[in-house]
Amino acid sequence: MNKVYAGFAEAVADIGDQATVMVGGFTGRGTPSRLLLALREKGPKNLTIVRNDASGGWKNPIDVDILIEAGMVKKVITCFAVFGSPKKVSRLERAALDGKVEVELVPQGTLAERIRAGGAGIGAFYTPVGVGTEAGVGKEVRVIDGREMLLEFALKADFALVKAYRSDSLGNLVYRKSARNFNPLMAMAAKTTIAEVEHIVEPGGIDPNDVMTPCVFVHRIVEAGNGE
Amino acid sequence: MNKVYAGFAEAVADIGDQATVMVGGFTGRGTPSRLLLALREKGPKNLTIVRNDASGGWKNPIDVDILIEAGMVKKVITCFAVFGSPKKVSRLERAALDGKVEVELVPQGTLAERIRAGGAGIGAFYTPVGVGTEAGVGKEVRVIDGREMLLEFALKADFALVKAYRSDSLGNLVYRKSARNFNPLMAMAAKTTIAEVEHIVEPGGIDPNDVMTPCVFVHRIVEAGNGE
Amino acid sequence: MASKTETLMTIEEMAERVAHELDGDYFVNLGIGMPMLVANHIKADKQIMFQAENGVLGVGPRAEPGAEDKDLGNAGDENVTVITGASFMDSATAFDMIRGGHLDSTVLGGFQVSESGDLANWKLPNRKLGSFGGAMDLAVGARKVIVMMKHVTNDGEKRIVRECSYPLTAKRCVSTIVTDIAVIDVTAEGLVLREIAPGWTPEDVQKLTEPPLIIDRAKPWTVQ
Amino acid sequence: MASKTETLMTIEEMAERVAHELDGDYFVNLGIGMPMLVANHIKADKQIMFQAENGVLGVGPRAEPGAEDKDLGNAGDENVTVITGASFMDSATAFDMIRGGHLDSTVLGGFQVSESGDLANWKLPNRKLGSFGGAMDLAVGARKVIVMMKHVTNDGEKRIVRECSYPLTAKRCVSTIVTDIAVIDVTAEGLVLREIAPGWTPEDVQKLTEPPLIIDRAKPWTVQ
């Protein structure tokens, strides 16, 4: 039942080929950079990555695009595949244009909700977002309350790599400011959730009212410090 | 933009006949008793009440069943309509058996999720809970990922009466311990959310990381003290 | 049946037996009523994080008189405490935990369990209204569902049946049944009689059980 | 068009004009890019709670150099601050707020807007891949959608069109379009020219706009 791992390599050692991996963070904020570096080092192939933004290019240079560049990724489910300006080509865009990586583009709120549904045992849901757009192609439409809505299915993963500010050694997580974003959702949606945390405290060190991800959702914790 | 109301009567003054009213709390914990008393005093008719438990009979005697007893309720959407023992008859059970109140019984997780969906702009969702039971009668079934699931629709309300521990004067809410329960969900799902709070503090008195219901979901606040 | 009365396990003994069944489980929800007694029988060296579906992970013992907290109860409105490492959450998250398959097990009361593991526990058939509570979600969502109930009704009616005649809580959800005379597993082969209370034979248990039991693996009641 | 160049509103003037359009709104999301400039033009006596879809309600000015917080940014990865009364939330809740219709308004950039208020703003037609970001949710969910864009492309191509030829963001979602020459409302009767930049006539604006404009209510550009 000990969830605290000494190193990042150890924590990602069983992420194998074909795994589906969710990666928390929004731009660089709340991104588990150390786990991403360890995963690149470990080097599994044909990963499916679920991540808000996959273009890279933010202030934090360690992002999921390092896995794409390393040729480890076969598919990316994301909201941001490219930069706004067509002049700047993201690693994902290049890989996709070369036919090396498949991209499933999802509206951001729908991505958040699909991940939450995956963790919550909800099979699918109807959202008004994306109707009549490329996001709705091939999807069922149903009129609810006079409004057309798309049927969207839950997303689950084999692993979630999340970043937290604090954790107790049981795995109760607290996030800080806008670094929360997708982390609590992904923590719920994976068979194995691995948290990179800045500080690990003893049980009792976090007020039960302040826990943002209860320990039931977290399987491994590695302390990173805050010096990234 | 001032959300702080001086009295409970004032805060519920526009809840009229036929309104759908969600009431936070689970047993007596987190139940907005003072708002319920004010609503009984105001006395609108033919209300639809959405509430986790509607049997009453808990430690806190001020519960939604006081509205049922006052003849103000035409329909209740709830998980708990009766006491476990058939020997003790709840006010709701008696009113339902007399044909005075219609009861829509919903599994608890489905109730929570339907309310959340209402606030989140999700039209409906599929859950495996209730398939093959009375909870599934007349509902669409779909197999998702090899599992039969029921289609359940979002719930919204005209008003939500919620109970919080602290609020700032902008309406950012913090709940305490297990008094949180349905309150944050209902706060999102109503056109007008009225919060009974123990203590109102100045803006800035609540750490932005600790806000449980952001002020965008809250329209009226009344200070109750903690002496109930 | 009257001649056997003296060897029926008490509710506390049943609760103790269920506690043993939770070995290896860590996140557990105890249903309202009889199942809540199980908490008293968890060995001191074994930590369990009890979840209460009203939004508590890490429910501890009942609050001492005078130390009750109006904002802290379990799903049955009992004044409880929390253990170190507990957390509070809203009802949606509490049920994400349940429905999403994150709990190792749940212990529920029962009126009837069928051969295929269907559970009926929320309403007596002659009652017009009932309460679903969180039972349907727990029965569907927990990875293991243990039902704790007396083997037969007070009127001697069988409760382990081919098909439930009482309103269902969930289909094919029960893993194990702990009664006052037996421990029975629901398996793909059928109901397996795993343990028998002292003084009972497999044949005795079969007489009070509608579907055929697989009895060749039956052992004496585990005493901790 | 060349002869009119000197009277095109600048991006800052457009942002100022959009700010005026937010009168009475309190919860507002500014899209990534040009719309973010609007925040600089909110009058000091008027408080707005800006939402950022990465999970901030109450975004304040950019962080001063040296005072950046690695855990605090807006949806465009800018280092920002928060105002008093702000709150943080996860992405699901941020989008519950958006999709659930809780925001008074959003300001989005645009490539094209159609007569019926369809918006295209996420991908140029010649590009294979794009980014949806949060634009689709904002366009569908906010109670008022203001589009801020230049009236025509750099090549002089009309952007306010009968039907969008670019990939759609959402159908029938736009309330008002603020361009560098006009303010136009999307109404059930059609596009209503509400304001015109200095030096322009309604007929000039019509020439650069594909669908017919209702011009009889056109007024001069509002200067604050």
Side-chain angles (χ1 to χ4, degrees):
Chain A
M1 208 57 207
N2 178 34
K3 295 181 180 177
V4 181
Y5 279 59
F8 293 95
E10 214 181 323
V12 302
D14 59 347
I15 303 185
D17 296 351
Q18 309 291 343
T20 295
V21 183
M22 291 180 174
V23 182
F26 191 118
T27 72
R29 324 236 181 213
T31 298
S33 305
R34 304 282 295 275
L35 287 171
L36 284 173
L37 288 171
L39 183 58
R40 181 175 65 178
E41 188 67 23
K42 152 84 180 156
K45 301 288 176 202
N46 293 314
L47 299 177
T48 295
I49 299 292
V50 181
R51 155 87 181 177
N52 173 59
D53 50 277
S55 61
W58 307 108
K59 292 188 174 66
N60 178 350
I62 308 301
D63 215 319
V64 293
D65 64 337
I66 66 170
L67 308 179
I68 295 164
E69 197 189 26
M72 292 160 55
V73 178
K74 73 169 175 195
K75 181 175 178 182
V76 178
I77 302 175
T78 189
C79 315
F80 288 96
V82 306
F83 298 116
S85 159
K87 287 171 200 147
K88 205 172 151 201
V89 178
S90 73
R91 287 166 175 167
L92 176 56
E93 187 172 15
R94 194 179 311 118
L97 294 176
D98 290 352
K100 289 179 185 158
V101 177
E102 179 194 346
V103 176
E104 179 180 341
L105 208 58
V106 184
Q108 195 163 56
T110 300
L111 184 66
E113 196 65 15
R114 288 178 65 190
I115 295 166
R116 182 187 170 278
I122 299 296
F125 58 88
Y126 286 97
T127 172
V129 176
V131 173
T133 75
E134 284 187 23
V137 173
K139 292 179 185 164
E140 287 179 40
V141 176
R142 180 180 185 120
V143 176
I144 298 176
D145 227 358
R147 233 174 152 189
E148 285 188 318
M149 299 208 185
L150 291 183
L151 181 63
E152 295 279 3
F153 289 89
L155 275 174
K156 294 186 198 181
D158 300 304
F159 296 90
L161 309 183
V162 304
K163 171 75 192 291
Y165 172 54
R166 284 206 303 158
S167 165
D168 63 21
S169 53
L170 300 169
N172 288 300
L173 305 184
V174 173
Y175 310 96
R176 190 170 166 274
K177 301 193 175 180
S178 72
R180 192 181 319 184
N181 55 67
F182 280 78
N183 284 301
L185 313 174
M186 290 177 170
M188 292 169 53
K191 284 194 207 97
T192 302
T193 292
I194 310 171
E196 171 180 335
V197 306
E198 295 186 21
H199 309 285
I200 300 180
V201 301
E202 288 302 301
I206 300 176
D207 183 322
N209 287 296
D210 295 342
V211 172
M212 296 178 188
T213 292
C215 62
V216 64
F217 299 123
V218 179
H219 308 96
R220 301 173 191 170
I221 325 160
V222 198
E223 192 165 44
N226 62 359
E228 13 169 28
Chain B
M1 208 54 207
N2 177 34
K3 296 182 180 176
V4 182
Y5 280 58
F8 294 96
E10 214 181 322
V12 302
D14 60 347
I15 303 186
D17 296 351
Q18 310 290 342
T20 295
V21 182
M22 291 180 173
V23 182
F26 192 117
T27 73
R29 325 237 180 212
T31 298
S33 306
R34 304 283 295 273
L35 287 171
L36 285 173
L37 288 171
L39 183 57
R40 181 175 63 177
E41 188 67 22
K42 151 86 180 154
K45 302 287 175 203
N46 293 313
L47 299 177
T48 295
I49 299 292
V50 181
R51 156 87 181 178
N52 173 59
D53 50 277
S55 61
W58 306 106
K59 293 189 172 65
N60 177 351
I62 309 302
D63 215 318
V64 293
D65 63 338
I66 66 170
L67 308 180
I68 295 164
E69 198 189 26
M72 292 161 55
V73 178
K74 71 169 177 196
K75 182 174 178 182
V76 177
I77 302 175
T78 189
C79 316
F80 288 96
V82 306
F83 298 117
S85 159
K87 288 171 202 151
K88 204 172 152 200
V89 178
S90 72
R91 287 166 175 168
L92 175 56
E93 187 172 13
R94 194 179 311 120
L97 294 177
D98 291 351
K100 289 179 184 158
V101 177
E102 180 194 348
V103 175
E104 179 180 341
L105 208 59
V106 185
Q108 195 163 56
T110 300
L111 184 66
E113 195 66 14
R114 288 178 65 191
I115 295 166
R116 183 187 170 278
I122 298 296
F125 59 88
Y126 286 96
T127 172
V129 176
V131 173
T133 76
E134 285 188 23
V137 173
K139 292 178 186 166
E140 287 180 39
V141 176
R142 180 182 185 118
V143 177
I144 297 177
D145 227 357
R147 233 175 152 187
E148 284 187 318
M149 300 208 185
L150 292 183
L151 181 62
E152 296 279 2
F153 289 89
L155 275 175
K156 294 186 197 181
D158 299 306
F159 295 90
L161 309 184
V162 304
K163 170 76 193 290
Y165 173 54
R166 285 206 303 156
S167 165
D168 62 21
S169 53
L170 300 169
N172 288 300
L173 305 184
V174 173
Y175 310 95
R176 190 170 166 273
K177 301 193 177 181
S178 72
R180 193 182 318 184
N181 56 66
F182 280 79
N183 284 301
L185 312 174
M186 290 178 171
M188 291 169 55
K191 285 193 207 98
T192 302
T193 292
I194 310 171
E196 171 180 336
V197 306
E198 296 187 19
H199 309 286
I200 301 180
V201 300
E202 288 301 302
I206 300 176
D207 183 322
N209 287 295
D210 295 342
V211 172
M212 296 177 187
T213 293
C215 61
V216 64
F217 298 122
V218 179
H219 308 96
R220 300 173 191 170
I221 324 159
V222 199
E223 192 165 44
N226 62 358
E228 14 172 22
Chain C
M1 171 125 182
S3 65
K4 302 278 187 185
T5 306
E6 69 283 7
T7 60
L8 293 177
M9 297 311 230
T10 64
I11 289 175
E12 290 295 344
E13 285 168 324
M14 289 166 67
E16 189 186 340
R17 184 61 194 76
V18 170
H20 186 59
E21 206 63 26
L22 300 177
D23 271 3
D25 293 352
Y26 187 66
F27 296 108
V28 177
N29 181 300
L30 301 179
I32 297 176
M34 195 161 65
M36 285 183 172
L37 298 174
V38 173
N40 305 328
H41 296 277
I42 303 299
K43 291 268 163 76
D45 61 344
K46 175 162 172 55
Q47 215 196 4
I48 288 192
M49 274 263 177
F50 288 111
Q51 195 239 24
E53 67 268 26
N54 57 326
V56 188
L57 185 65
V59 178
R62 289 206 197 172
E64 297 292 336
E68 301 91 348
D69 184 328
K70 74 172 175 31
D71 291 333
L72 181 50
N74 64 16
D77 200 27
E78 292 174 327
N79 292 306
V80 294
T81 57
V82 290
I83 64 170
T84 299
S87 53
F88 299 112
M89 67 221 68
D90 66 36
S91 293
T93 308
F95 280 91
D96 294 347
M97 220 174 260
I98 292 169
R99 196 197 306 106
H102 303 280
L103 298 186
D104 294 314
S105 50
T106 188
V107 183
L108 298 172
F111 293 142
Q112 292 183 326
V113 175
S114 83
E115 195 171 14
S116 59
D118 295 354
L119 171 64
N121 82 346
W122 71 275
K123 196 175 74 167
L124 294 168
N126 53 357
R127 206 165 177 190
K128 194 183 164 206
L129 260 184
S131 291
F132 291 152
M136 289 192 173
D137 300 86
L138 284 163
V140 168
R143 291 202 282 263
K144 184 165 80 187
V145 176
I146 301 167
V147 171
M148 178 181 175
M149 66 178 185
K150 294 193 178 172
H151 208 92
V152 296
T153 68
N154 290 340
D155 301 331
E157 198 189 324
K158 292 180 180 112
R159 289 182 131 166
I160 302 174
V161 292
R162 285 186 192 275
E163 291 291 337
C164 295
S165 58
Y166 288 31
L168 282 188
T169 304
K171 304 195 76 156
R172 297 175 177 279
C173 62
V174 177
S175 306
T176 296
I177 314 163
V178 175
T179 75
D180 46 359
I181 62 171
V183 177
I184 295 171
D185 290 324
V186 182
T187 75
E189 312 157 75
L191 297 178
V192 175
L193 180 62
R194 179 144 55 92
E195 292 186 16
I196 321 173
W200 291 76
T201 66
E203 293 71 23
D204 292 333
V205 176
Q206 179 65 75
K207 274 182 209 145
L208 300 178
T209 309
E210 193 179 282
L213 294 170
I214 299 168
I215 58 172
D216 57 341
R217 289 161 237 175
K219 290 182 182 164
W221 195 266
T222 300
V223 181
Q224 293 195 288
Chain D
M1 171 125 180
S3 66
K4 304 277 186 184
T5 305
E6 69 284 5
T7 60
L8 293 176
M9 295 312 225
T10 63
I11 288 175
E12 289 295 344
E13 284 168 325
M14 289 165 66
E16 189 187 338
R17 185 61 195 77
V18 170
H20 185 58
E21 206 63 27
L22 299 178
D23 271 3
D25 293 351
Y26 188 65
F27 297 106
V28 178
N29 182 300
L30 300 178
I32 298 174
M34 194 162 65
M36 285 183 172
L37 299 174
V38 173
N40 305 329
H41 296 278
I42 303 299
K43 291 266 164 76
D45 62 345
K46 177 165 170 52
Q47 216 196 3
I48 288 192
M49 274 263 177
F50 288 111
Q51 195 240 25
E53 66 269 26
N54 57 325
V56 188
L57 185 65
V59 178
R62 290 204 197 174
E64 297 290 335
E68 301 91 348
D69 184 328
K70 73 171 176 30
D71 291 333
L72 181 50
N74 63 17
D77 200 28
E78 292 173 327
N79 292 306
V80 294
T81 57
V82 289
I83 64 170
T84 299
S87 54
F88 299 112
M89 68 222 67
D90 66 35
S91 294
T93 307
F95 279 91
D96 294 347
M97 219 174 263
I98 293 168
R99 197 195 307 106
H102 303 280
L103 298 185
D104 295 313
S105 49
T106 187
V107 182
L108 298 172
F111 293 143
Q112 291 183 326
V113 176
S114 83
E115 195 171 14
S116 60
D118 295 354
L119 171 65
N121 82 346
W122 71 275
K123 196 175 74 168
L124 295 167
N126 53 357
R127 206 165 176 189
K128 193 183 163 207
L129 261 185
S131 291
F132 291 152
M136 289 190 173
D137 299 86
L138 285 163
V140 168
R143 291 203 283 262
K144 184 164 81 186
V145 175
I146 301 167
V147 171
M148 180 181 172
M149 65 179 186
K150 293 192 178 172
H151 209 92
V152 297
T153 67
N154 290 340
D155 300 332
E157 200 189 323
K158 292 179 181 110
R159 289 182 132 164
I160 302 175
V161 292
R162 286 186 191 277
E163 291 290 337
C164 294
S165 57
Y166 287 32
L168 283 188
T169 304
K171 303 195 76 156
R172 298 176 177 279
C173 62
V174 178
S175 306
T176 298
I177 315 162
V178 175
T179 75
D180 46 358
I181 61 170
V183 178
I184 295 171
D185 289 324
V186 181
T187 76
E189 313 157 75
L191 297 178
V192 175
L193 180 61
R194 179 146 53 95
E195 291 187 16
I196 321 173
W200 292 76
T201 65
E203 293 70 25
D204 292 333
V205 176
Q206 178 65 76
K207 274 183 206 145
L208 300 178
T209 308
E210 194 180 281
L213 295 171
I214 299 168
I215 59 172
D216 57 342
R217 290 162 238 175
K219 291 181 182 164
W221 195 267
T222 300
V223 182
Q224 295 194 287

